[in-house]
Amino acid sequence: MSGADDRRRAVAGVLAGLDEVEVRVDKLVTGGDGLARVEGVPLFISRAAPGDRARVRIVDRRPDYGRAEIVELVEPSPVRREAPCPHFGRCGGCDLQHIDDAAQSKLRAGAALETLRRIGNVEPQEVEVVTGAAWGYRLRAQLRTDEEGRVGYFARGSRDLVAVDACPVLLPELESVIGTLAEQPGALRPRIDLAVGDSGLISAAPPVPEHPGGAIRRTIAGHRFEFDARTFFQGHAGLLDDLYRVACGHWRGETALDLYAGVGLFSVGLAGRYDRVVGVESDRVAARYARRNVRRARLAQRAPVAGGCHIEVEGRSVEGFLPTWAEPVDRVLVDPPRGGLGRPVKRELKRIAAGRLTYVSCYPATLARDLRDLSDVYAVESVTLLDMFPQTGHIEAVVQMRLIAS
């Protein structure tokens, strides 16, 4: 029998005999759960705060760990507070409203860095943490409805609807839509995506009464970007300029690739620094907006885009595009979905061997895995953590890497 098998049997033995147990929560982990240990066995506890002493009930037993929920707070953490939103605890949208805002930011950053070290063996030379508004910041929302006309979000870990009459993490213009939708029973689809532009105009997908679909605009670093509720766009209105600045950086060269380009946010930023930029985006609607945004940036006299820069948008998958690329590359920027980079993409990034690689991610675990897999070709120089998801367990990371000299 292997050591791993012995370990699993030991964990099973510890957890099998437990229903409730008193623990001290050691820290916050990526995703927002608190971590405690019972005879060395990791126990992940929802709605916990570092420093809590609590009686918890085991709700899930796994080969290497357990999950639990708080039954009684014996001694609350000094960073714990009453959640400002009355829907917290039932609604699945937020994880950390029970923790002070200032403490949240530090805990999210610490959890992300710990994940990068543990999974990715990453010890960055430079770490920067960028923060913004903790409330009233979010410019996108995905609301759910039911046949009774209720509007809200799914409960955590289920598809049960939690009806809400307010959502204080949303920008005020977006929050006001909740009440409007609740007055339209029978006229709504089960899922409604919303986004709000600079002017307060709201795009809805599918369209709803008073809020049609269609393009809205956000101005970032002097550039106007169009998108709509169907397309991905970063969610924190107050940190868009910072993300643009950090991701695009100051480096210059001849050719750059922007992979998973979305509506062209980083393609435009790279175009001010490279002679040729190729954005790659598989979503048809997003690629159409990217072409429009790139074209506008080139034509705007005040935009810092070199007049001779050639920018193009490839409407295809990254997996299909990279094997066809055979030219030298100075810079690659990737901003993949939560699942990170697939093995074929990582293999192609190693083959291309760009002078610099920038990785933008909202999920530290898959980011750490990919950095580990790329570490024989690219060395991490810096990590910037942008606190773009206050009241949740998530954080945005921008990792700057350089090619290791052969």
Coordinates of all heavy atoms in Angstrom, one line a residue, residues 212-267:
P212 N -33.1 47.6 -23.3 CA -32.8 46.8 -24.5 C -31.4 46.3 -24.6 O -30.6 46.7 -23.8 CB -33.1 47.8 -25.7 CG -32.7 49.1 -25.1 CD -33.2 49.0 -23.6
G213 N -31.2 45.4 -25.4 CA -29.8 44.9 -25.6 C -29.1 46.0 -26.4 O -29.6 47.0 -26.7
G214 N -27.8 45.6 -26.9 CA -27.1 46.6 -27.7 C -25.8 47.1 -27.0 O -25.6 46.8 -25.8
A215 N -25.1 47.9 -27.7 CA -23.8 48.3 -27.2 C -23.8 49.4 -26.2 O -24.7 50.2 -26.2 CB -22.9 48.8 -28.4
I216 N -22.9 49.3 -25.2 CA -22.6 50.3 -24.2 C -21.2 50.6 -24.3 O -20.4 49.9 -24.9 CB -23.1 49.9 -22.8 CG1 -22.4 48.6 -22.4 CG2 -24.6 49.8 -22.7 CD1 -22.7 48.1 -21.0
R217 N -20.7 51.7 -23.6 CA -19.3 52.1 -23.7 C -18.7 52.3 -22.4 O -19.3 52.8 -21.5 CB -19.3 53.4 -24.5 CG -19.8 53.3 -25.9 CD -19.6 54.6 -26.7 NE -20.2 54.5 -28.1 CZ -21.4 54.9 -28.4 NH1 -22.2 55.4 -27.4 NH2 -21.8 54.8 -29.6
R218 N -17.4 52.0 -22.3 CA -16.6 52.3 -21.2 C -15.3 52.9 -21.7 O -14.7 52.4 -22.6 CB -16.2 51.1 -20.4 CG -17.4 50.6 -19.5 CD -17.3 51.3 -18.1 NE -18.6 51.2 -17.4 CZ -18.9 51.8 -16.3 NH1 -18.0 52.6 -15.7 NH2 -20.0 51.7 -15.7
T219 N -14.8 54.0 -21.1 CA -13.6 54.7 -21.4 C -12.5 54.2 -20.5 O -12.6 54.4 -19.3 CB -13.7 56.2 -21.4 OG1 -14.7 56.6 -22.4 CG2 -12.4 56.9 -21.9
I220 N -11.4 53.7 -21.0 CA -10.3 53.2 -20.3 C -9.0 53.7 -20.8 O -8.7 53.5 -22.0 CB -10.3 51.6 -20.3 CG1 -11.6 51.1 -19.7 CG2 -9.1 51.1 -19.4 CD1 -11.8 49.6 -20.0
A221 N -8.2 54.4 -20.0 CA -6.9 54.9 -20.4 C -7.1 55.8 -21.7 O -6.2 55.8 -22.6 CB -5.9 53.8 -20.6
G222 N -8.2 56.5 -21.8 CA -8.4 57.4 -22.9 C -9.0 56.7 -24.1 O -9.3 57.4 -25.1
H223 N -9.2 55.4 -24.1 CA -9.8 54.7 -25.2 C -11.2 54.4 -24.9 O -11.6 54.0 -23.8 CB -9.0 53.4 -25.6 CG -7.6 53.7 -26.0 ND1 -7.3 54.2 -27.2 CD2 -6.4 53.5 -25.3 CE1 -6.0 54.3 -27.3 NE2 -5.4 53.9 -26.2
R224 N -12.1 54.4 -25.9 CA -13.5 54.1 -25.7 C -13.7 52.6 -26.2 O -13.4 52.3 -27.4 CB -14.4 55.0 -26.5 CG -15.9 54.9 -26.2 CD -16.7 55.8 -26.9 NE -16.8 55.5 -28.4 CZ -17.4 56.2 -29.3 NH1 -17.9 57.4 -28.9 NH2 -17.5 55.8 -30.5
F225 N -14.2 51.8 -25.3 CA -14.5 50.4 -25.7 C -16.0 50.1 -25.7 O -16.7 50.5 -24.7 CB -13.8 49.5 -24.7 CG -12.3 49.5 -24.7 CD1 -11.6 50.4 -24.0 CD2 -11.6 48.6 -25.6 CE1 -10.2 50.5 -24.1 CE2 -10.3 48.6 -25.6 CZ -9.5 49.6 -24.9
E226 N -16.5 49.5 -26.7 CA -17.9 49.1 -26.8 C -18.0 47.6 -26.5 O -17.1 46.8 -26.9 CB -18.4 49.4 -28.2 CG -18.6 50.9 -28.5 CD -19.4 51.1 -29.8 OE1 -19.7 50.1 -30.5 OE2 -19.7 52.3 -30.1
F227 N -19.1 47.2 -25.9 CA -19.4 45.8 -25.6 C -20.8 45.7 -25.2 O -21.5 46.8 -25.2 CB -18.5 45.3 -24.5 CG -18.7 46.0 -23.1 CD1 -19.4 45.4 -22.1 CD2 -18.1 47.2 -22.9 CE1 -19.6 46.1 -20.9 CE2 -18.2 47.9 -21.7 CZ -19.0 47.3 -20.7
D228 N -21.4 44.6 -25.0 CA -22.7 44.5 -24.5 C -22.8 43.4 -23.5 O -21.8 42.7 -23.1 CB -23.7 44.3 -25.6 CG -23.6 43.0 -26.4 OD1 -23.3 42.0 -25.8 OD2 -23.8 43.0 -27.6
A229 N -24.0 43.1 -22.9 CA -24.2 42.2 -21.8 C -23.9 40.8 -22.2 O -23.7 39.9 -21.3 CB -25.6 42.3 -21.3
R230 N -23.8 40.5 -23.5 CA -23.5 39.1 -23.9 C -22.0 38.8 -23.9 O -21.6 37.6 -23.9 CB -24.0 38.9 -25.4 CG -25.5 39.0 -25.6 CD -25.8 39.0 -27.0 NE -25.2 40.1 -27.7 CZ -25.2 40.3 -29.0 NH1 -25.7 39.3 -29.8 NH2 -24.7 41.4 -29.6
T231 N -21.2 39.8 -23.8 CA -19.7 39.6 -23.9 C -19.1 39.7 -22.6 O -19.6 40.4 -21.7 CB -19.1 40.6 -24.9 OG1 -19.4 41.9 -24.4 CG2 -19.6 40.5 -26.3
F232 N -17.9 39.1 -22.4 CA -17.1 39.2 -21.2 C -16.5 40.6 -21.1 O -16.0 41.1 -22.1 CB -16.0 38.2 -21.1 CG -15.1 38.4 -20.0 CD1 -15.5 38.0 -18.7 CD2 -13.9 39.0 -20.2 CE1 -14.6 38.3 -17.6 CE2 -13.0 39.3 -19.1 CZ -13.4 38.9 -17.8
F233 N -16.5 41.2 -19.9 CA -15.8 42.4 -19.7 C -15.5 42.4 -18.2 O -16.3 41.9 -17.4 CB -16.7 43.6 -20.0 CG -15.9 44.9 -20.3 CD1 -15.3 45.1 -21.5 CD2 -15.8 45.9 -19.3 CE1 -14.6 46.3 -21.8 CE2 -15.1 47.0 -19.5 CZ -14.5 47.2 -20.8
Q234 N -14.4 43.0 -17.8 CA -14.0 43.0 -16.4 C -15.0 43.8 -15.6 O -15.7 44.7 -16.0 CB -12.6 43.7 -16.3 CG -11.5 43.0 -17.0 CD -11.1 41.7 -16.3 OE1 -11.4 41.5 -15.1 NE2 -10.3 40.9 -17.0
G235 N -15.2 43.3 -14.3 CA -16.3 43.8 -13.5 C -16.1 45.0 -12.6 O -17.1 45.6 -12.2
H236 N -14.9 45.3 -12.2 CA -14.7 46.4 -11.2 C -14.5 47.7 -12.0 O -13.4 48.0 -12.5 CB -13.5 46.1 -10.3 CG -13.5 47.0 -9.1 ND1 -13.5 48.3 -9.1 CD2 -13.4 46.6 -7.8 CE1 -13.5 48.8 -7.9 NE2 -13.4 47.8 -7.0
A237 N -15.5 48.6 -12.0 CA -15.5 49.8 -12.7 C -14.3 50.7 -12.3 O -13.7 51.4 -13.2 CB -16.8 50.6 -12.6
G238 N -13.9 50.7 -11.1 CA -12.9 51.6 -10.6 C -11.5 51.1 -10.8 O -10.5 51.9 -10.6
L239 N -11.3 49.9 -11.2 CA -9.9 49.3 -11.4 C -9.6 49.0 -12.9 O -8.5 48.4 -13.1 CB -9.7 48.1 -10.5 CG -9.7 48.3 -9.0 CD1 -9.5 47.0 -8.3 CD2 -8.6 49.3 -8.6
L240 N -10.4 49.4 -13.8 CA -10.2 49.1 -15.2 C -8.9 49.7 -15.7 O -8.1 49.1 -16.4 CB -11.3 49.5 -16.0 CG -12.6 48.8 -15.8 CD1 -13.8 49.4 -16.6 CD2 -12.5 47.3 -16.1
D241 N -8.7 51.0 -15.4 CA -7.4 51.7 -15.8 C -6.2 51.0 -15.2 O -5.2 50.9 -15.9 CB -7.5 53.2 -15.4 CG -8.3 54.0 -16.4 OD1 -9.1 53.4 -17.1 OD2 -8.1 55.2 -16.4
D242 N -6.3 50.6 -14.0 CA -5.1 50.0 -13.3 C -4.8 48.6 -14.0 O -3.7 48.3 -14.2 CB -5.4 49.7 -11.8 CG -5.5 51.0 -11.1 OD1 -4.4 51.6 -10.8 OD2 -6.6 51.5 -10.7
L243 N -5.9 47.8 -14.3 CA -5.6 46.5 -14.9 C -5.0 46.7 -16.3 O -4.1 46.0 -16.6 CB -7.0 45.8 -15.0 CG -6.9 44.5 -15.8 CD1 -6.0 43.5 -15.0 CD2 -8.3 43.9 -16.0
Y244 N -5.5 47.7 -17.0 CA -5.0 48.0 -18.4 C -3.5 48.4 -18.2 O -2.6 47.9 -19.0 CB -5.8 49.2 -18.9 CG -5.4 49.7 -20.3 CD1 -6.1 49.2 -21.4 CD2 -4.4 50.6 -20.5 CE1 -5.8 49.7 -22.7 CE2 -4.1 51.1 -21.7 CZ -4.8 50.7 -22.8 OH -4.5 51.2 -24.1
R245 N -3.2 49.2 -17.3 CA -1.8 49.7 -17.1 C -0.8 48.6 -16.7 O 0.2 48.4 -17.3 CB -1.7 50.8 -16.0 CG -0.3 51.1 -15.5 CD -0.4 52.1 -14.3 NE -1.1 51.6 -13.2 CZ -0.6 50.8 -12.3 NH1 0.6 50.4 -12.4 NH2 -1.3 50.4 -11.2
V246 N -1.3 47.8 -15.7 CA -0.4 46.7 -15.2 C -0.2 45.6 -16.3 O 0.9 45.1 -16.5 CB -1.0 46.1 -13.9 CG1 -0.3 44.8 -13.5 CG2 -1.0 47.1 -12.8
A247 N -1.3 45.2 -17.0 CA -1.2 44.1 -17.9 C -0.4 44.5 -19.2 O 0.5 43.7 -19.6 CB -2.6 43.7 -18.3
C248 N -0.6 45.7 -19.7 CA 0.1 46.1 -20.9 C 1.5 46.4 -20.6 O 2.4 46.2 -21.5 CB -0.6 47.2 -21.6 SG -2.3 46.8 -22.2
G249 N 1.8 47.0 -19.5 CA 3.2 47.3 -19.1 C 3.9 48.4 -20.0 O 3.2 49.1 -20.7
H250 N 5.2 48.4 -19.9 CA 6.0 49.4 -20.5 C 6.9 48.9 -21.7 O 7.5 49.7 -22.4 CB 6.9 50.2 -19.5 CG 7.9 49.3 -18.9 ND1 7.6 48.5 -17.7 CD2 9.1 49.0 -19.2 CE1 8.6 47.8 -17.4 NE2 9.6 48.1 -18.2
W251 N 6.9 47.6 -21.9 CA 7.8 47.0 -22.8 C 7.4 47.3 -24.2 O 6.2 47.5 -24.5 CB 7.9 45.5 -22.6 CG 8.3 45.1 -21.2 CD1 9.6 45.1 -20.7 CD2 7.5 44.8 -20.1 NE1 9.6 44.8 -19.4 CE2 8.3 44.6 -19.0 CE3 6.1 44.7 -20.0 CZ2 7.8 44.2 -17.7 CZ3 5.6 44.3 -18.7 CH2 6.4 44.1 -17.6
R252 N 8.3 47.2 -25.2 CA 8.1 47.5 -26.6 C 8.7 46.5 -27.4 O 9.6 45.8 -27.0 CB 8.6 48.9 -26.9 CG 7.8 50.0 -26.2 CD 8.3 51.4 -26.6 NE 7.5 52.4 -25.9 CZ 6.4 52.9 -26.3 NH1 5.9 52.5 -27.5 NH2 5.7 53.8 -25.6
G253 N 8.3 46.4 -28.7 CA 8.9 45.4 -29.6 C 8.2 45.5 -30.9 O 7.4 46.4 -31.3
E254 N 8.4 44.4 -31.7 CA 7.8 44.4 -33.1 C 6.4 43.7 -33.1 O 5.5 44.2 -33.7 CB 8.8 43.7 -34.0 CG 10.1 44.4 -34.2 CD 11.0 43.8 -35.2 OE1 10.6 42.7 -35.8 OE2 12.1 44.3 -35.4
T255 N 6.3 42.5 -32.5 CA 5.1 41.7 -32.6 C 4.6 41.2 -31.3 O 5.4 40.7 -30.4 CB 5.4 40.4 -33.5 OG1 5.9 40.9 -34.8 CG2 4.1 39.6 -33.7
A256 N 3.3 41.3 -31.1 CA 2.6 40.8 -29.8 C 1.4 40.1 -30.2 O 0.7 40.4 -31.1 CB 2.3 42.0 -28.9
L257 N 1.1 39.0 -29.4 CA -0.1 38.3 -29.5 C -1.0 38.5 -28.2 O -0.4 38.4 -27.1 CB 0.2 36.8 -29.7 CG 1.0 36.3 -30.8 CD1 1.2 34.8 -30.8 CD2 0.5 36.8 -32.1
D258 N -2.3 38.8 -28.4 CA -3.2 38.9 -27.3 C -4.2 37.7 -27.4 O -5.1 37.8 -28.3 CB -3.9 40.3 -27.4 CG -5.0 40.5 -26.3 OD1 -4.9 39.7 -25.3 OD2 -5.9 41.3 -26.5
L259 N -4.0 36.7 -26.6 CA -4.8 35.5 -26.7 C -5.9 35.6 -25.7 O -5.8 36.0 -24.6 CB -3.9 34.3 -26.4 CG -2.6 34.2 -27.2 CD1 -1.8 32.9 -26.9 CD2 -2.9 34.2 -28.7
Y260 N -7.1 35.1 -26.1 CA -8.4 35.2 -25.4 C -8.6 36.7 -25.3 O -8.8 37.3 -24.2 CB -8.3 34.6 -24.0 CG -7.8 33.2 -24.0 CD1 -6.4 32.9 -23.8 CD2 -8.6 32.1 -24.3 CE1 -5.9 31.6 -23.8 CE2 -8.1 30.8 -24.3 CZ -6.7 30.6 -24.1 OH -6.2 29.3 -24.1
A261 N -8.7 37.4 -26.4 CA -8.7 38.9 -26.4 C -10.0 39.6 -26.0 O -10.0 40.8 -25.8 CB -8.3 39.3 -27.8
G262 N -11.1 38.8 -26.0 CA -12.3 39.5 -25.6 C -12.7 40.6 -26.6 O -12.6 40.4 -27.8
V263 N -13.0 41.7 -26.0 CA -13.4 42.8 -26.9 C -12.3 43.8 -27.3 O -12.4 44.9 -27.7 CB -14.6 43.7 -26.3 CG1 -15.8 42.8 -26.1 CG2 -14.1 44.3 -25.0
G264 N -11.0 43.3 -27.0 CA -9.9 44.0 -27.5 C -9.2 44.9 -26.5 O -8.4 45.8 -26.9
L265 N -9.5 44.8 -25.2 CA -9.0 45.7 -24.2 C -7.5 45.8 -24.2 O -6.9 46.8 -24.3 CB -9.5 45.3 -22.8 CG -8.9 46.1 -21.6 CD1 -9.3 47.5 -21.7 CD2 -9.4 45.4 -20.3
F266 N -6.8 44.6 -24.2 CA -5.4 44.6 -24.1 C -4.8 44.7 -25.5 O -3.6 45.1 -25.7 CB -4.9 43.3 -23.4 CG -5.4 43.2 -22.0 CD1 -5.9 42.0 -21.6 CD2 -5.3 44.2 -21.1 CE1 -6.4 41.8 -20.3 CE2 -5.7 44.1 -19.8 CZ -6.3 42.9 -19.4
S267 N -5.5 44.3 -26.5 CA -5.0 44.5 -27.9 C -4.7 46.0 -28.2 O -3.7 46.3 -28.7 CB -6.0 43.9 -28.9 OG -6.1 42.6 -28.8

